[in-house]
Amino acid sequence: MNTINKTLSFGKKVVGEFKITKLESDGKGKTVTVQVVRLEKGDYRDYFTYENTKKINMGNFFVSKRYKKDQIDYVVEKKSNGKLLGIADCIKSKDELILETIGTTKNGKYCGIGRVLLAGIVKDIKGKYPEISVPTPLPSAYGFYKKCHFDYYDTDYTFCLDEDNFDKLIKDAKQH
């Protein structure tokens, strides 16, 4: 089951609402409304379970995960039914937010989930952090980060999105 039916904290915060495309069996695209949610401290346990992370292609390393005080977790849910489509785990630093992990559903029918997840995160951190960085990107994700306006620094193999490009990413995600 990929829907969260547990009672969650009323403190979770919707940080962005976006539209993505779901490809129907006839090949036509249907617009679906999703929301990016910042989780409160206790809520991550309801989302970051073995079953959920396996379904969205993040593996099982979150099974024994303990919440760290400098951690912020985000999810993308289908607005109509709360179906979980993506998860991101970030670490706060004094100068930046570090994207530690990101994963989206294995269901190839949805397009744009990763981009709206990042757009929701930057919308949430705008004015609080001057950049978001990805210190350990998978080589297969390089194109994704470049498409999302991240700059690549080969001196330390890191992708960074500075606040000058936050609005570009948010605008792209809203036009998807």
Side-chain angles (χ1 to χ4, degrees):
M1 187 159 170
N2 203 13
T3 304
I4 304 299
N5 289 321
K6 299 177 180 174
T7 305
L8 298 177
S9 160
F10 292 108
K12 72 179 188 170
K13 181 179 180 190
V14 175
V15 296
E17 191 168 293
F18 301 91
K19 308 267 187 220
I20 61 170
T21 302
K22 179 181 180 188
L23 298 175
E24 298 292 322
S25 56
D26 61 4
K28 294 181 181 175
K30 175 183 170 186
T31 300
V32 176
T33 303
V34 297
Q35 54 190 16
V36 178
V37 176
R38 179 176 16 96
L39 301 179
E40 294 299 320
K41 230 178 192 179
D43 290 341
Y44 83 95
R45 287 183 199 95
D46 294 326
Y47 286 90
F48 287 85
T49 64
Y50 173 78
E51 185 177 289
N52 285 334
T53 56
K54 185 176 177 185
K55 285 180 182 172
I56 61 168
N57 204 18
M58 289 180 67
N60 62 7
F61 55 90
F62 285 103
V63 174
S64 62
K65 179 179 178 183
R66 293 188 185 166
Y67 192 86
K68 303 171 209 142
K69 73 176 188 171
D70 59 349
Q71 177 177 327
I72 306 174
D73 297 305
Y74 295 88
V75 296
V76 176
E77 301 174 320
K78 225 172 134 180
K79 188 172 180 186
S80 62
N81 63 8
K83 182 177 183 179
L84 183 64
L85 298 175
I87 294 176
D89 179 34
C90 300
I91 301 295
K92 294 185 268 184
S93 169
K94 66 179 179 178
D95 299 328
E96 65 187 350
L97 189 71
I98 301 165
L99 180 64
E100 197 169 59
T101 309
I102 186 170
T104 61
T105 181
K106 290 180 182 179
N107 183 340
K109 294 180 183 178
Y110 293 98
C111 301
I113 298 167
R115 185 184 319 206
V116 300
L117 181 53
L118 286 175
I121 292 169
V122 299
K123 191 174 177 188
D124 188 43
I125 68 166
K126 199 172 174 182
K128 299 174 194 165
Y129 296 95
E131 70 180 15
I132 183 168
S133 68
V134 185
T136 55
L138 295 172
S140 60
Y142 283 18
F144 167 73
Y145 290 114
K146 287 179 181 179
K147 189 176 180 180
C148 291
H149 306 286
F150 280 71
D151 292 316
Y152 182 70
Y153 297 95
D154 50 359
T155 53
D156 60 359
Y157 310 105
T158 300
F159 277 95
C160 291
L161 180 73
D162 62 27
E163 60 191 344
D164 293 338
N165 288 321
F166 284 3
D167 288 335
K168 287 180 188 176
L169 174 59
I170 294 167
K171 182 181 174 188
D172 285 356
K174 288 190 181 251
Q175 291 177 349
H176 191 277

